């Protein structure tokens, strides 16, 4: 209890001790909050990965987690990544027309069957173009799941490509705004994606 005591011989020393105790309490609360936030983010990212056989390495798993967290924090998009021995399939909660389907991106691959499935939220699909997901499914993933290739590398490259395309689309309205010196009025990235989707289609290279 002596540590928390604020008794002192002068008013200045008394104030200094009170402020010191308050500072310790504030830092303790902040550290607890920050740790809880990081733990929650890790749990949310883990929930988005289905790799029952744990075939992703620790570094690969961490990269997928970072992808899921980035989409949620920057764009408000939920992401689900599935690695399976069966044909890939989204959760039942992602049924067509459901609220989750409208805001969730799904990437599933099955190295054993050579099949892949990519589902994009409507806004993202409209922005990236109707050929983006089919080309990942029919060209990108089959190439990386072929004998002698690395499906893990193919998965991470696909996630990187999605991030790069979304970042490029989100940056376009900001660049146009700075060129015309018009105050920025739209900050949600979903709006940027929608605007970009109305003007052009971006294809997988």
């Amino acid at each position: 209890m002596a540590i928390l005591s604020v008794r002192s011989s002068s008013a200045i020393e008394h104030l200094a001790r009170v402020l010191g105790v308050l500072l310790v309490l504030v830092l303790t609360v902040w550290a607890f909050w920050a740790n809880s936030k990081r733990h929650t983010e890790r749990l949310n990212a883990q929930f988005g990965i289905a790799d029952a056989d744990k075939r992703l390495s620790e570094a690969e798993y961490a990269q997928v987690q970072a992808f899921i967290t980035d989409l949620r924090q920057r764009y408000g998009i939920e992401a689900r990544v599935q690695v399976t021995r069966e044909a890939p399939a989204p959760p039942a909660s992602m049924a067509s027309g459901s609220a989750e389907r409208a805001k969730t991106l799904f990437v599933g691959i099955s190295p054993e069957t050579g099949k892949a499935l990519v589902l994009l939220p409507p806004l993202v699909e409209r922005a990236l173009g109707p050929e983006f997901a089919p080309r990942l499914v029919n060209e990108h993933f089959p190439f990386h799941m072929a004998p002698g290739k690395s499906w893990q590398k193919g998965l991470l490259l696909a996630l990187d490509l999605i991030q790069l395309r979304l970042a490029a689309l989100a940056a376009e309205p900001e660049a146009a705004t700075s060129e015309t010196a018009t105050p920025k009025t739209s900050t949600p990235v979903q709006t940027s994606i929608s605007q970009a989707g109305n003007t052009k289609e971006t294809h997988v290279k």
Side-chain angles (χ1 to χ4, degrees):
M1 296 301 295
I3 295 178
L4 297 179
S5 175
V6 294
R7 289 181 297 178
S8 60
S9 58
S10 69
I12 294 179
E13 185 179 351
H14 174 80
L15 179 60
R17 290 192 178 187
V18 170
L19 292 177
V21 171
L22 290 176
L23 179 60
V24 169
L25 293 176
V26 169
L27 290 176
T28 301
V29 172
W30 178 84
F32 177 79
W33 173 83
N35 183 66
S36 298
K37 183 180 179 182
R38 287 193 297 269
H39 181 65
T40 300
E41 289 176 351
R42 285 196 297 269
L43 288 178
N44 287 338
Q46 289 171 358
F47 176 73
I49 305 175
D51 178 25
D53 295 327
K54 301 188 183 304
R55 288 184 286 174
L56 293 172
S57 69
E58 185 176 341
E60 292 162 348
Y61 194 91
Q63 190 168 339
V64 176
Q65 282 186 311
F67 168 81
I68 294 172
T69 300
D70 182 69
L71 259 62
R72 180 185 297 112
Q73 292 181 344
R74 297 179 64 181
Y75 310 116
I77 298 172
E78 296 297 325
R80 301 285 182 267
V81 177
Q82 180 187 75
V83 179
T84 178
R85 296 184 184 275
E86 310 294 335
S93 57
M94 282 187 64
S96 179
S98 67
E100 185 171 341
R101 177 69 183 84
K103 65 175 184 177
T104 304
L105 181 151
F106 176 84
V107 177
I109 63 171
S110 171
E112 283 68 31
T113 65
K115 296 184 180 298
L117 179 63
V118 177
L119 300 175
L120 305 176
L123 279 178
V124 176
E125 183 176 21
R126 186 165 58 198
L128 298 182
E131 296 300 320
F132 184 83
R135 291 191 67 178
L136 284 177
V137 171
N138 299 321
E139 299 177 20
H140 175 85
F141 283 119
F143 174 81
H144 287 283
M145 288 190 287
K149 301 294 182 180
S150 169
W151 62 262
Q152 293 94 334
K153 179 180 179 180
L155 174 61
L156 298 180
L157 286 174
L159 301 185
D160 286 344
L161 180 60
I162 292 171
Q163 280 184 298
L164 289 173
R165 292 297 176 86
L166 289 177
L169 289 172
E172 287 179 2
E174 296 180 4
T177 299
S178 62
E179 289 176 1
T180 58
T182 303
K184 207 161 83 170
T185 59
S186 177
T187 55
V189 176
Q190 290 90 334
T191 302
S192 300
I193 293 174
S194 179
Q195 291 172 344
N198 290 331
T199 57
K200 72 172 185 177
E201 294 180 356
T202 306
H203 300 285
V204 179
K205 293 182 179 179

